[in-house]
Amino acid sequence: MLEFQSIQQRGFHNTYDEKGNITGFEFKFTPKYYKGLWFTQCRFGNVKVDGKVYDRDSLTYVYNGLDYTREEMFDTEKYWQFRTAITVKVPCEGGLSVGYHDVVMDFGWVLNYNGALEAEADGSGMGNMAHMFGVENKRRMLLCR
Amino acid sequence: MGIEKGRPRRGITFYSYHNLMGRCMTLEDCFEEAYDTGATCFELLTSYIDNYPNPSSEWIDKYWGLCEKYNLRPSELGHWAENHLRRGPAMTDEEVVEELKTDFKLAHMLGFTSLRTKITCTNFMCDPEPGWQSYIEKALPWAEKYDVMMQNEVHLPTTLHTPHIRDEYLDFIKRTGTSHFGFNIDFGTFQFKQPEGFGPIVMSDYKDITKPEEIVDFLPYSRSCHTKFVNINENFEEETIPYREVIQLMIDNGWSGDLLSEYEGPIRFFAEESFENFGKAMEIIPDQVRRHQIMMKNILGY
């Protein structure tokens, strides 16, 4: 079962390599919207933790056990099922410290609803639904390891 | 000789529960809520089909099991005629038709006879993107084969006299003579004043709304409608939409389609913002749907 927030605390932890070195951190995300989306409709933005920006093109998105870059998702015919989380892996030397962190993730999408067609049809923008639902998702979360 | 009176069915679109679904409500919980109200039919969105667009045979069996257990019949499947799924130019007609065919087949397999088909719109008034007729016409033989009616939703602030409704959609129906394209008339189009609780979110200025009698011309082209509501008071009344008048017109004109309770109160925009709001959503949403069903029963008499 999902937590009701877009950014999930369950699944928030540092990531480790085989030798036990911290490689970064990860968390799970699910859009708050009322329907699922094709990967190609998704417009992922940057992640910010305690004000530090992690560029969207440095992130890895894990869905059903497979890794995707933001760019790869534009060429993948895959439906992101409703109320299913995607894992966002953030490379970050040393990871995050144990304690509370303010995590922000921007996410928009393209849909054929009641609004102008996407202005940036190259996918560089945040879609065409931001006027109704915004793009910013944020949550203060406790990291244990 | 007068027209035989219609007998619309009372139903619920499970979209009403979307803030709660997958968090504290399962699909079965939606069925159980509906059963409690005495509703007899329901709407799903394609997204609520597990592993859409390829549900497993186990899921399909489970789905029909739920229909039987809770004595509910499929009414409408909400889906999208997306034609901008890739960056750059729009998809070809053939690609859109393939997408529609997938949903028609699913609808047929799951027992739906009507669809809420969202055609690409380019502004807040829902004016369709030019050229929609081309792919929808090519999809008509498939809609006939799977016996589903694609219905364009007429949704606030669009009215039944907004030019594209007659000039494009009705013209298309008359030109092609199809019985597989029509309208889901969302009752929000009759809303005559701003409901409370929306804060800065403005859906309409309510200066130009659909008058109840306008619905009559469109009833032959509709199998199901969204009975939209934003607040049902403790006396089981919706104070911003002339429900009794519209439904009486439908009955008097022989309409026996499905009326699907669609809750769209302001909490849907704010439910995820805080524990307090989500708690309110958990209480308000099922309560409002139940109140609406009582109101519908009071109006219909069954």
Side-chain angles (χ1 to χ4, degrees), chain A residues 36 40 71 79 81 83 114, chain B residues 18 21 47 52 85 87 118:
Chain A
T40 53
E71 189 61 29
Y79 195 75
Q81 300 293 319
R83 297 286 184 256
N114 311 21
Chain B
H18 73 264
M21 288 171 80
S47 293
Y52 171 80
L85 285 179
R87 296 178 290 187
K118 183 66 193 177

Side-chain angles (χ1 to χ4, degrees), chain B residues 150-166:
Chain B
M150 291 180 274
Q151 298 187 129
N152 167 69
E153 185 176 19
V154 183
H155 190 287
L156 173 109
T158 309
T159 67
L160 284 171
H161 54 264
T162 299
H164 74 246
I165 297 293
R166 280 183 190 274

Side-chain angles (χ1 to χ4, degrees), chain B residues 18 28 32 38 79 119 151 169 176 178 188 206 217 232 245 263 270 287 296:
Chain B
H18 73 264
E28 175 156 5
E32 191 171 6
H79 79 136
I119 289 168
Q151 298 187 129
Y169 294 132
T176 58
T178 183
Y206 302 98
D217 285 351
I232 306 294
E245 200 178 343
Y263 175 61
F270 312 120
D287 189 64
M296 295 298 285

Side-chain angles (χ1 to χ4, degrees), chain A residues 1-5 31-32 34-36 38 40-41 43 71 74-75 79 81-83 110-117 121-123 132-133, chain B residues 15 18-19 21-23 45 47-49 51-53 80-82 84-85 87-88 116 118-124 126 129 272 274-275 278:
Chain A
M1 200 63 97
L2 292 169
E3 299 163 292
F4 73 83
Q5 297 94 338
K32 64 182 178 185
Y34 72 87
K35 69 183 289 293
W38 292 97
T40 53
Q41 294 177 291
R43 299 292 180 264
E71 189 61 29
F74 285 117
D75 298 321
Y79 195 75
Q81 300 293 319
F82 179 63
R83 297 286 184 256
V110 176
L111 203 68
N112 66 355
Y113 249 105
N114 311 21
L117 298 176
D122 61 354
M132 284 191 81
F133 295 93
Chain B
Y15 161 85
H18 73 264
N19 296 95
M21 288 171 80
R23 294 161 171 161
L45 306 184
S47 293
Y48 306 160
I49 297 168
N51 201 39
Y52 171 80
W80 286 259
E82 295 279 7
H84 292 277
L85 285 179
R87 296 178 290 187
R116 192 287 336 242
K118 183 66 193 177
I119 289 168
T120 299
C121 298
T122 56
N123 55 37
F124 201 53
C126 290
E129 184 185 19
E272 289 83 5
S274 65
F275 279 104
F278 194 75

Side-chain angles (χ1 to χ4, degrees), chain A residues 3-143:
Chain A
E3 299 163 292
F4 73 83
Q5 297 94 338
S6 301
I7 296 176
Q8 304 280 296
Q9 180 169 262
R10 197 178 303 127
F12 178 46
H13 54 79
N14 282 322
T15 51
Y16 299 81
D17 64 17
E18 305 84 35
K19 292 176 183 167
N21 300 314
I22 294 176
T23 56
F25 61 92
E26 67 182 31
F27 62 89
K28 291 192 284 188
F29 173 81
T30 179
K32 64 182 178 185
Y33 203 42
Y34 72 87
K35 69 183 289 293
L37 296 165
W38 292 97
F39 272 12
T40 53
Q41 294 177 291
C42 297
R43 299 292 180 264
F44 286 93
N46 296 332
V47 166
K48 259 192 299 191
V49 179
D50 304 325
K52 184 178 177 186
V53 176
Y54 299 88
D55 188 89
R56 58 188 181 173
D57 284 316
S58 72
L59 311 178
T60 302
Y61 306 91
V62 188
Y63 184 75
N64 270 356
L66 294 176
D67 288 4
Y68 301 90
T69 64
R70 188 180 76 90
E71 189 61 29
E72 282 170 340
M73 292 174 89
F74 285 117
D75 298 321
T76 306
E77 193 176 318
K78 187 90 190 159
Y79 195 75
W80 184 355
Q81 300 293 319
F82 179 63
R83 297 286 184 256
T84 301
I86 208 162
T87 299
V88 183
K89 291 172 89 164
V90 185
C92 164
E93 200 173 326
L96 299 175
S97 59
V98 169
Y100 284 98
H101 294 279
D102 291 311
V103 179
V104 179
M105 182 169 143
D106 288 347
F107 178 76
W109 60 94
V110 176
L111 203 68
N112 66 355
Y113 249 105
N114 311 21
L117 298 176
E118 186 184 29
E120 304 90 356
D122 61 354
S124 64
M126 295 305 288
N128 66 346
M129 293 300 287
H131 66 292
M132 284 191 81
F133 295 93
V135 295
E136 190 180 81
N137 301 272
K138 56 182 174 184
R139 187 169 178 192
R140 187 169 173 76
M141 299 198 290
L142 182 57
L143 184 121

